[in-house]
Amino acid sequence: MNNSYIAVLDSGIGGISVLKDLIKVLPGEKFLYFGDNGNAPYGNKTIDELTVISKRNIDLIKRYPVKCLVLGCNTLSVNIIYSIMRYSGLPTFGVFPPVERVSKNKKTLLLSTLRTAKTFTSSDNLHVLGLKNLVYDIENNVGDLTKINIERNLSLSEGFFINKKNYYDTIILGCTHYVFIKNKISDHFCPKNIISGNEYTVKAVLDFLQNNKSLVNNKGFEVKFIGNFAVFNEHFYISSGQT
Ligand code: DGL
């Protein structure tokens, strides 16, 4: 059990941002990364479609010895974490946009996929924006993320926002893919803070492993990629190593 995998699942490269954060605090663990590029983007799919896809993916993941499952994906987490938990029978953790951690008096913009945006409501100080194309763009430009055009993506968005520099105190990255273009988003809006849910997920996984005495301290970490791993190996070089 202890030496089995921590599985991380996402529609593509987004969950790599979670995987990297997990490796930092769990440098002796074995990880199984499933990047479901074939079905990306999840954010433009229905709940029924996501449920069917996720069951299939869990069946694949469960061919391996797994001690817990991390949904490296806000879209799966906010929409179907409970059905994934029930179906997998695994301790399951999600990434959630940390909206409740931001003061209600601060001007906040939540950027997310369309499916995630539908689960939040805009108010005076919280503006919720669903971006239709940004995950596509990130997946397609993984080799050169400087090509991403933020203005174009904002024009293809659903929701309300103020397109001005320095207007927002906080930007919440409500999609794990967006973490890879954090600097670009920051340059566009110039907020005081830019945050994601990744750190809270990592803390929850760490607490769980500690409480269950299932932390391992191998000499280095190991990552096994399933899904379209050629892309991951080419761009992320994190198959194994020591932190
Ligand atoms: N990275 C995922 C998320 O955090 C999924 C994005 C997508 O495939 O649309 O929502």
Side-chain angles (χ1 to χ4, degrees):
M1 159 79 179
N2 282 4
N3 211 21
S4 47
Y5 290 102
I6 298 172
V8 181
L9 169 65
D10 183 40
S11 63
I13 65 158
I16 299 265
S17 68
V18 184
L19 174 65
K20 284 183 159 183
D21 290 346
L22 284 166
I23 289 171
K24 279 185 208 142
V25 296
L26 300 165
E29 295 282 345
K30 281 166 51 178
F31 298 90
L32 183 71
Y33 189 85
F34 192 144
D36 186 18
N37 311 64
N39 287 307
Y42 281 178
N44 297 359
K45 294 198 156 42
T46 64
I47 303 272
D48 283 350
E49 286 169 335
L50 291 175
T51 306
V52 170
I53 290 167
S54 299
K55 285 184 174 172
R56 215 182 296 141
N57 290 343
I58 286 159
D59 290 343
L60 288 170
I61 285 172
K62 287 194 76 173
R63 290 184 187 168
Y64 299 85
V66 167
K67 60 181 169 185
C68 65
L69 172 63
V70 180
L71 305 178
C73 175
N74 294 259
T75 306
L76 293 181
S77 305
V78 301
N79 288 291
I80 58 165
I81 191 168
Y82 292 111
S83 48
I84 289 180
M85 224 176 240
R86 269 194 306 274
Y87 185 78
S88 71
L90 291 166
T92 303
F93 301 87
V95 181
F96 300 89
V99 169
E100 73 294 343
R101 302 202 182 241
V102 178
S103 159
K104 292 196 171 37
N105 303 322
K106 303 277 183 199
K107 291 191 179 61
T108 302
L109 176 64
L110 166 60
L111 296 175
S112 73
T113 64
L114 293 182
R115 177 62 44 211
T116 299
K118 286 189 170 64
T119 65
F120 292 88
T121 309
S122 286
S123 60
D124 284 351
N125 279 339
L126 173 67
H127 297 166
V128 179
L129 201 63
L131 297 159
K132 213 195 237 153
N133 260 43
L134 190 48
V135 167
Y136 263 129
D137 263 11
I138 294 172
E139 286 285 327
N140 292 334
N141 291 294
V142 63
D144 184 5
L145 293 173
T146 60
K147 287 191 186 144
I148 307 280
N149 183 331
I150 296 291
E151 200 64 65
R152 186 181 149 272
N153 273 284
L154 290 172
S155 72
L156 297 170
S157 62
E158 287 179 17
F160 172 76
F161 74 113
I162 307 285
N163 199 0
K164 269 206 299 206
K165 282 194 191 307
N166 303 309
Y167 178 82
Y168 292 105
D169 297 297
T170 302
I171 300 238
I172 300 176
L173 303 175
C175 169
T176 52
H177 280 73
Y178 304 170
V179 172
F180 289 112
I181 54 160
K182 183 177 176 175
N183 291 346
K184 248 180 188 283
I185 294 172
S186 184
D187 289 349
H188 185 87
F189 287 104
C190 299
K192 294 193 182 77
N193 301 305
I194 184 156
I195 61 173
S196 75
N198 286 17
E199 66 178 286
Y200 306 104
T201 309
V202 170
K203 171 95 177 56
V205 175
L206 178 64
D207 288 350
F208 164 77
L209 295 176
Q210 273 169 342
N211 292 338
N212 282 277
K213 307 212 174 337
S214 48
L215 267 178
V216 289
N217 278 315
N218 293 330
K219 278 254 156 47
F221 66 89
E222 198 186 303
V223 183
K224 181 172 184 59
F225 290 100
I226 54 176
N228 188 357
F229 57 88
V231 177
F232 301 129
N233 279 343
E234 190 183 337
H235 296 291
F236 294 98
Y237 309 106
I238 52 171
S239 298
S240 64
Q242 289 179 25
T243 47

PDB file of all heavy atoms in Angstrom, residues 14-27 31 95 176 179-180 182 196-203 206 238 243:
ATOM      1  N   GLY A  14      -2.466  20.420 -17.539  1.00  0.00           N
ATOM      2  CA  GLY A  14      -2.781  21.249 -16.368  1.00  0.00           C
ATOM      3  C   GLY A  14      -2.373  20.594 -15.055  1.00  0.00           C
ATOM      4  O   GLY A  14      -1.764  21.221 -14.180  1.00  0.00           O
ATOM      5  N   GLY A  15      -2.680  19.311 -14.935  1.00  0.00           N
ATOM      6  CA  GLY A  15      -2.385  18.607 -13.685  1.00  0.00           C
ATOM      7  C   GLY A  15      -0.897  18.485 -13.402  1.00  0.00           C
ATOM      8  O   GLY A  15      -0.487  18.171 -12.285  1.00  0.00           O
ATOM      9  N   ILE A  16      -0.064  18.754 -14.426  1.00  0.00           N
ATOM     10  CA  ILE A  16       1.395  18.739 -14.196  1.00  0.00           C
ATOM     11  C   ILE A  16       1.759  19.826 -13.189  1.00  0.00           C
ATOM     12  O   ILE A  16       2.704  19.681 -12.415  1.00  0.00           O
ATOM     13  CB  ILE A  16       2.170  18.975 -15.515  1.00  0.00           C
ATOM     14  CG1 ILE A  16       1.858  17.882 -16.527  1.00  0.00           C
ATOM     15  CG2 ILE A  16       3.662  19.114 -15.270  1.00  0.00           C
ATOM     16  CD1 ILE A  16       2.796  16.734 -16.585  1.00  0.00           C
ATOM     17  N   SER A  17       0.999  20.922 -13.186  1.00  0.00           N
ATOM     18  CA  SER A  17       1.291  21.987 -12.212  1.00  0.00           C
ATOM     19  C   SER A  17       1.033  21.466 -10.786  1.00  0.00           C
ATOM     20  O   SER A  17       1.756  21.814  -9.854  1.00  0.00           O
ATOM     21  CB  SER A  17       0.475  23.254 -12.503  1.00  0.00           C
ATOM     22  OG  SER A  17      -0.907  23.047 -12.277  1.00  0.00           O
ATOM     23  N   VAL A  18       0.052  20.603 -10.645  1.00  0.00           N
ATOM     24  CA  VAL A  18      -0.238  20.012  -9.331  1.00  0.00           C
ATOM     25  C   VAL A  18       0.822  18.956  -9.007  1.00  0.00           C
ATOM     26  O   VAL A  18       1.345  18.891  -7.890  1.00  0.00           O
ATOM     27  CB  VAL A  18      -1.645  19.349  -9.323  1.00  0.00           C
ATOM     28  CG1 VAL A  18      -1.995  18.829  -7.949  1.00  0.00           C
ATOM     29  CG2 VAL A  18      -2.705  20.334  -9.821  1.00  0.00           C
ATOM     30  N   LEU A  19       1.141  18.152 -10.017  1.00  0.00           N
ATOM     31  CA  LEU A  19       2.157  17.112  -9.835  1.00  0.00           C
ATOM     32  C   LEU A  19       3.478  17.729  -9.357  1.00  0.00           C
ATOM     33  O   LEU A  19       4.110  17.236  -8.414  1.00  0.00           O
ATOM     34  CB  LEU A  19       2.371  16.377 -11.165  1.00  0.00           C
ATOM     35  CG  LEU A  19       3.488  15.349 -11.224  1.00  0.00           C
ATOM     36  CD1 LEU A  19       3.218  14.165 -10.300  1.00  0.00           C
ATOM     37  CD2 LEU A  19       3.677  14.839 -12.655  1.00  0.00           C
ATOM     38  N   LYS A  20       3.877  18.831  -9.983  1.00  0.00           N
ATOM     39  CA  LYS A  20       5.147  19.476  -9.603  1.00  0.00           C
ATOM     40  C   LYS A  20       5.095  19.937  -8.151  1.00  0.00           C
ATOM     41  O   LYS A  20       6.072  19.800  -7.410  1.00  0.00           O
ATOM     42  CB  LYS A  20       5.436  20.676 -10.511  1.00  0.00           C
ATOM     43  CG  LYS A  20       5.920  20.265 -11.882  1.00  0.00           C
ATOM     44  CD  LYS A  20       6.246  21.496 -12.700  1.00  0.00           C
ATOM     45  CE  LYS A  20       7.188  21.145 -13.831  1.00  0.00           C
ATOM     46  NZ  LYS A  20       7.574  22.317 -14.603  1.00  0.00           N
ATOM     47  N   ASP A  21       3.944  20.495  -7.742  1.00  0.00           N
ATOM     48  CA  ASP A  21       3.812  20.954  -6.350  1.00  0.00           C
ATOM     49  C   ASP A  21       3.806  19.760  -5.392  1.00  0.00           C
ATOM     50  O   ASP A  21       4.350  19.830  -4.285  1.00  0.00           O
ATOM     51  CB  ASP A  21       2.524  21.779  -6.177  1.00  0.00           C
ATOM     52  CG  ASP A  21       2.612  23.135  -6.883  1.00  0.00           C
ATOM     53  OD1 ASP A  21       3.734  23.533  -7.254  1.00  0.00           O
ATOM     54  OD2 ASP A  21       1.565  23.780  -7.063  1.00  0.00           O
ATOM     55  N   LEU A  22       3.202  18.650  -5.820  1.00  0.00           N
ATOM     56  CA  LEU A  22       3.192  17.446  -4.966  1.00  0.00           C
ATOM     57  C   LEU A  22       4.614  16.910  -4.787  1.00  0.00           C
ATOM     58  O   LEU A  22       5.015  16.542  -3.679  1.00  0.00           O
ATOM     59  CB  LEU A  22       2.316  16.358  -5.599  1.00  0.00           C
ATOM     60  CG  LEU A  22       0.800  16.528  -5.480  1.00  0.00           C
ATOM     61  CD1 LEU A  22       0.070  15.576  -6.441  1.00  0.00           C
ATOM     62  CD2 LEU A  22       0.313  16.303  -4.051  1.00  0.00           C
ATOM     63  N   ILE A  23       5.370  16.888  -5.886  1.00  0.00           N
ATOM     64  CA  ILE A  23       6.746  16.358  -5.819  1.00  0.00           C
ATOM     65  C   ILE A  23       7.587  17.159  -4.821  1.00  0.00           C
ATOM     66  O   ILE A  23       8.399  16.602  -4.087  1.00  0.00           O
ATOM     67  CB  ILE A  23       7.394  16.346  -7.226  1.00  0.00           C
ATOM     68  CG1 ILE A  23       6.749  15.256  -8.093  1.00  0.00           C
ATOM     69  CG2 ILE A  23       8.906  16.126  -7.133  1.00  0.00           C
ATOM     70  CD1 ILE A  23       7.160  15.298  -9.571  1.00  0.00           C
ATOM     71  N   LYS A  24       7.337  18.491  -4.764  1.00  0.00           N
ATOM     72  CA  LYS A  24       8.125  19.336  -3.847  1.00  0.00           C
ATOM     73  C   LYS A  24       7.961  18.903  -2.401  1.00  0.00           C
ATOM     74  O   LYS A  24       8.918  18.906  -1.628  1.00  0.00           O
ATOM     75  CB  LYS A  24       7.693  20.803  -3.975  1.00  0.00           C
ATOM     76  CG  LYS A  24       8.335  21.486  -5.154  1.00  0.00           C
ATOM     77  CD  LYS A  24       7.983  22.981  -5.164  1.00  0.00           C
ATOM     78  CE  LYS A  24       8.007  23.480  -6.591  1.00  0.00           C
ATOM     79  NZ  LYS A  24       6.974  24.438  -6.917  1.00  0.00           N
ATOM     80  N   VAL A  25       6.735  18.528  -2.009  1.00  0.00           N
ATOM     81  CA  VAL A  25       6.530  18.149  -0.596  1.00  0.00           C
ATOM     82  C   VAL A  25       6.571  16.644  -0.381  1.00  0.00           C
ATOM     83  O   VAL A  25       6.663  16.191   0.760  1.00  0.00           O
ATOM     84  CB  VAL A  25       5.213  18.725  -0.009  1.00  0.00           C
ATOM     85  CG1 VAL A  25       5.223  20.226   0.036  1.00  0.00           C
ATOM     86  CG2 VAL A  25       4.001  18.213  -0.746  1.00  0.00           C
ATOM     87  N   LEU A  26       6.521  15.883  -1.470  1.00  0.00           N
ATOM     88  CA  LEU A  26       6.546  14.417  -1.351  1.00  0.00           C
ATOM     89  C   LEU A  26       7.640  13.853  -2.268  1.00  0.00           C
ATOM     90  O   LEU A  26       7.360  13.153  -3.247  1.00  0.00           O
ATOM     91  CB  LEU A  26       5.175  13.838  -1.746  1.00  0.00           C
ATOM     92  CG  LEU A  26       3.980  14.303  -0.917  1.00  0.00           C
ATOM     93  CD1 LEU A  26       2.673  13.959  -1.611  1.00  0.00           C
ATOM     94  CD2 LEU A  26       4.035  13.682   0.475  1.00  0.00           C
ATOM     95  N   PRO A  27       8.900  14.186  -1.971  1.00  0.00           N
ATOM     96  CA  PRO A  27       9.976  13.877  -2.915  1.00  0.00           C
ATOM     97  C   PRO A  27      10.385  12.409  -2.979  1.00  0.00           C
ATOM     98  O   PRO A  27      11.263  12.055  -3.762  1.00  0.00           O
ATOM     99  CB  PRO A  27      11.145  14.733  -2.392  1.00  0.00           C
ATOM    100  CG  PRO A  27      10.867  14.892  -0.938  1.00  0.00           C
ATOM    101  CD  PRO A  27       9.368  14.862  -0.758  1.00  0.00           C
ATOM    102  N   PHE A  31       4.490   8.482  -8.503  1.00  0.00           N
ATOM    103  CA  PHE A  31       3.299   9.135  -9.052  1.00  0.00           C
ATOM    104  C   PHE A  31       2.912   8.489 -10.381  1.00  0.00           C
ATOM    105  O   PHE A  31       3.786   8.087 -11.161  1.00  0.00           O
ATOM    106  CB  PHE A  31       3.571  10.629  -9.299  1.00  0.00           C
ATOM    107  CG  PHE A  31       3.900  11.386  -8.038  1.00  0.00           C
ATOM    108  CD1 PHE A  31       5.219  11.515  -7.607  1.00  0.00           C
ATOM    109  CD2 PHE A  31       2.898  11.956  -7.266  1.00  0.00           C
ATOM    110  CE1 PHE A  31       5.531  12.205  -6.443  1.00  0.00           C
ATOM    111  CE2 PHE A  31       3.195  12.651  -6.101  1.00  0.00           C
ATOM    112  CZ  PHE A  31       4.513  12.768  -5.690  1.00  0.00           C
ATOM    113  N   VAL A  95      -8.830  19.810  -6.825  1.00  0.00           N
ATOM    114  CA  VAL A  95      -8.342  21.196  -6.806  1.00  0.00           C
ATOM    115  C   VAL A  95      -9.572  22.089  -7.000  1.00  0.00           C
ATOM    116  O   VAL A  95     -10.334  21.896  -7.944  1.00  0.00           O
ATOM    117  CB  VAL A  95      -7.351  21.476  -7.952  1.00  0.00           C
ATOM    118  CG1 VAL A  95      -6.850  22.922  -7.876  1.00  0.00           C
ATOM    119  CG2 VAL A  95      -6.174  20.524  -7.905  1.00  0.00           C
ATOM    120  N   THR A 176      -6.143  24.405 -13.727  1.00  0.00           N
ATOM    121  CA  THR A 176      -4.728  24.088 -13.489  1.00  0.00           C
ATOM    122  C   THR A 176      -3.860  24.387 -14.711  1.00  0.00           C
ATOM    123  O   THR A 176      -2.660  24.628 -14.572  1.00  0.00           O
ATOM    124  CB  THR A 176      -4.571  22.618 -13.062  1.00  0.00           C
ATOM    125  OG1 THR A 176      -5.238  21.780 -14.020  1.00  0.00           O
ATOM    126  CG2 THR A 176      -5.171  22.380 -11.682  1.00  0.00           C
ATOM    127  N   VAL A 179      -2.077  27.914 -14.645  1.00  0.00           N
ATOM    128  CA  VAL A 179      -0.895  28.132 -13.794  1.00  0.00           C
ATOM    129  C   VAL A 179       0.358  28.304 -14.669  1.00  0.00           C
ATOM    130  O   VAL A 179       1.259  29.067 -14.336  1.00  0.00           O
ATOM    131  CB  VAL A 179      -0.735  26.945 -12.796  1.00  0.00           C
ATOM    132  CG1 VAL A 179       0.575  27.035 -12.025  1.00  0.00           C
ATOM    133  CG2 VAL A 179      -1.938  26.897 -11.849  1.00  0.00           C
ATOM    134  N   PHE A 180       0.357  27.638 -15.828  1.00  0.00           N
ATOM    135  CA  PHE A 180       1.534  27.729 -16.699  1.00  0.00           C
ATOM    136  C   PHE A 180       1.661  29.086 -17.401  1.00  0.00           C
ATOM    137  O   PHE A 180       2.710  29.402 -17.951  1.00  0.00           O
ATOM    138  CB  PHE A 180       1.511  26.602 -17.747  1.00  0.00           C
ATOM    139  CG  PHE A 180       1.785  25.258 -17.136  1.00  0.00           C
ATOM    140  CD1 PHE A 180       0.800  24.306 -17.067  1.00  0.00           C
ATOM    141  CD2 PHE A 180       3.028  24.976 -16.588  1.00  0.00           C
ATOM    142  CE1 PHE A 180       1.036  23.080 -16.483  1.00  0.00           C
ATOM    143  CE2 PHE A 180       3.283  23.746 -15.995  1.00  0.00           C
ATOM    144  CZ  PHE A 180       2.289  22.801 -15.939  1.00  0.00           C
ATOM    145  N   LYS A 182       0.644  31.950 -15.746  1.00  0.00           N
ATOM    146  CA  LYS A 182       0.404  32.879 -14.640  1.00  0.00           C
ATOM    147  C   LYS A 182       1.018  34.260 -14.917  1.00  0.00           C
ATOM    148  O   LYS A 182       0.381  35.293 -14.697  1.00  0.00           O
ATOM    149  CB  LYS A 182       1.030  32.259 -13.382  1.00  0.00           C
ATOM    150  CG  LYS A 182       0.843  33.023 -12.127  1.00  0.00           C
ATOM    151  CD  LYS A 182       1.447  32.226 -10.978  1.00  0.00           C
ATOM    152  CE  LYS A 182       1.370  33.023  -9.694  1.00  0.00           C
ATOM    153  NZ  LYS A 182       1.822  32.268  -8.535  1.00  0.00           N
ATOM    154  N   SER A 196      -4.014  30.099  -6.860  1.00  0.00           N
ATOM    155  CA  SER A 196      -4.739  28.935  -7.392  1.00  0.00           C
ATOM    156  C   SER A 196      -5.062  28.017  -6.217  1.00  0.00           C
ATOM    157  O   SER A 196      -4.631  28.280  -5.085  1.00  0.00           O
ATOM    158  CB  SER A 196      -3.863  28.190  -8.409  1.00  0.00           C
ATOM    159  OG  SER A 196      -2.871  27.459  -7.720  1.00  0.00           O
ATOM    160  N   GLY A 197      -5.782  26.934  -6.497  1.00  0.00           N
ATOM    161  CA  GLY A 197      -6.125  26.008  -5.416  1.00  0.00           C
ATOM    162  C   GLY A 197      -5.063  24.944  -5.171  1.00  0.00           C
ATOM    163  O   GLY A 197      -5.184  24.144  -4.234  1.00  0.00           O
ATOM    164  N   ASN A 198      -4.009  24.939  -6.001  1.00  0.00           N
ATOM    165  CA  ASN A 198      -3.030  23.846  -5.918  1.00  0.00           C
ATOM    166  C   ASN A 198      -2.474  23.630  -4.517  1.00  0.00           C
ATOM    167  O   ASN A 198      -2.368  22.501  -4.038  1.00  0.00           O
ATOM    168  CB  ASN A 198      -1.847  24.125  -6.860  1.00  0.00           C
ATOM    169  CG  ASN A 198      -2.202  23.917  -8.320  1.00  0.00           C
ATOM    170  OD1 ASN A 198      -3.371  23.878  -8.674  1.00  0.00           O
ATOM    171  ND2 ASN A 198      -1.199  23.818  -9.171  1.00  0.00           N
ATOM    172  N   GLU A 199      -2.104  24.727  -3.849  1.00  0.00           N
ATOM    173  CA  GLU A 199      -1.399  24.546  -2.553  1.00  0.00           C
ATOM    174  C   GLU A 199      -2.290  23.876  -1.509  1.00  0.00           C
ATOM    175  O   GLU A 199      -1.815  23.119  -0.664  1.00  0.00           O
ATOM    176  CB  GLU A 199      -0.856  25.880  -2.029  1.00  0.00           C
ATOM    177  CG  GLU A 199      -1.932  26.861  -1.662  1.00  0.00           C
ATOM    178  CD  GLU A 199      -1.362  28.166  -1.106  1.00  0.00           C
ATOM    179  OE1 GLU A 199      -0.901  28.180   0.039  1.00  0.00           O
ATOM    180  OE2 GLU A 199      -1.408  29.170  -1.841  1.00  0.00           O
ATOM    181  N   TYR A 200      -3.610  24.133  -1.573  1.00  0.00           N
ATOM    182  CA  TYR A 200      -4.517  23.536  -0.585  1.00  0.00           C
ATOM    183  C   TYR A 200      -4.686  22.038  -0.855  1.00  0.00           C
ATOM    184  O   TYR A 200      -4.819  21.241   0.067  1.00  0.00           O
ATOM    185  CB  TYR A 200      -5.868  24.266  -0.607  1.00  0.00           C
ATOM    186  CG  TYR A 200      -5.669  25.748  -0.411  1.00  0.00           C
ATOM    187  CD1 TYR A 200      -5.772  26.639  -1.469  1.00  0.00           C
ATOM    188  CD2 TYR A 200      -5.301  26.246   0.842  1.00  0.00           C
ATOM    189  CE1 TYR A 200      -5.537  27.991  -1.300  1.00  0.00           C
ATOM    190  CE2 TYR A 200      -5.057  27.603   1.022  1.00  0.00           C
ATOM    191  CZ  TYR A 200      -5.180  28.466  -0.054  1.00  0.00           C
ATOM    192  OH  TYR A 200      -4.933  29.797   0.125  1.00  0.00           O
ATOM    193  N   THR A 201      -4.654  21.691  -2.126  1.00  0.00           N
ATOM    194  CA  THR A 201      -4.753  20.275  -2.499  1.00  0.00           C
ATOM    195  C   THR A 201      -3.518  19.517  -2.000  1.00  0.00           C
ATOM    196  O   THR A 201      -3.628  18.446  -1.404  1.00  0.00           O
ATOM    197  CB  THR A 201      -4.829  20.146  -4.048  1.00  0.00           C
ATOM    198  OG1 THR A 201      -5.855  21.015  -4.489  1.00  0.00           O
ATOM    199  CG2 THR A 201      -5.094  18.726  -4.471  1.00  0.00           C
ATOM    200  N   VAL A 202      -2.369  20.101  -2.238  1.00  0.00           N
ATOM    201  CA  VAL A 202      -1.120  19.462  -1.829  1.00  0.00           C
ATOM    202  C   VAL A 202      -1.110  19.255  -0.311  1.00  0.00           C
ATOM    203  O   VAL A 202      -0.747  18.193   0.188  1.00  0.00           O
ATOM    204  CB  VAL A 202       0.093  20.318  -2.291  1.00  0.00           C
ATOM    205  CG1 VAL A 202       1.389  19.838  -1.679  1.00  0.00           C
ATOM    206  CG2 VAL A 202       0.174  20.310  -3.811  1.00  0.00           C
ATOM    207  N   LYS A 203      -1.569  20.249   0.423  1.00  0.00           N
ATOM    208  CA  LYS A 203      -1.605  20.166   1.887  1.00  0.00           C
ATOM    209  C   LYS A 203      -2.557  19.032   2.320  1.00  0.00           C
ATOM    210  O   LYS A 203      -2.245  18.256   3.230  1.00  0.00           O
ATOM    211  CB  LYS A 203      -2.079  21.533   2.423  1.00  0.00           C
ATOM    212  CG  LYS A 203      -2.397  21.623   3.873  1.00  0.00           C
ATOM    213  CD  LYS A 203      -1.184  22.127   4.645  1.00  0.00           C
ATOM    214  CE  LYS A 203      -1.452  22.326   6.128  1.00  0.00           C
ATOM    215  NZ  LYS A 203      -1.948  21.184   6.845  1.00  0.00           N
ATOM    216  N   LEU A 206      -0.863  15.687   1.673  1.00  0.00           N
ATOM    217  CA  LEU A 206       0.204  15.477   2.662  1.00  0.00           C
ATOM    218  C   LEU A 206      -0.394  15.071   4.015  1.00  0.00           C
ATOM    219  O   LEU A 206       0.045  14.099   4.637  1.00  0.00           O
ATOM    220  CB  LEU A 206       1.027  16.772   2.793  1.00  0.00           C
ATOM    221  CG  LEU A 206       2.158  16.762   3.814  1.00  0.00           C
ATOM    222  CD1 LEU A 206       3.231  15.745   3.436  1.00  0.00           C
ATOM    223  CD2 LEU A 206       2.808  18.148   3.922  1.00  0.00           C
ATOM    224  N   ILE A 238      10.226  15.215 -16.232  1.00  0.00           N
ATOM    225  CA  ILE A 238      10.165  14.966 -14.788  1.00  0.00           C
ATOM    226  C   ILE A 238       9.863  13.506 -14.472  1.00  0.00           C
ATOM    227  O   ILE A 238       9.217  13.214 -13.486  1.00  0.00           O
ATOM    228  CB  ILE A 238       9.136  15.870 -14.077  1.00  0.00           C
ATOM    229  CG1 ILE A 238       7.781  15.776 -14.760  1.00  0.00           C
ATOM    230  CG2 ILE A 238       9.621  17.296 -13.957  1.00  0.00           C
ATOM    231  CD1 ILE A 238       6.682  16.466 -13.996  1.00  0.00           C
ATOM    232  N   THR A 243      14.647  15.881  -5.602  1.00  0.00           N
ATOM    233  CA  THR A 243      14.404  17.318  -5.505  1.00  0.00           C
ATOM    234  C   THR A 243      15.541  17.984  -4.726  1.00  0.00           C
ATOM    235  O   THR A 243      16.279  17.337  -4.019  1.00  0.00           O
ATOM    236  CB  THR A 243      13.077  17.610  -4.764  1.00  0.00           C
ATOM    237  OG1 THR A 243      13.042  16.822  -3.605  1.00  0.00           O
ATOM    238  CG2 THR A 243      11.927  17.316  -5.676  1.00  0.00           C
TER     239      THR A 243
END
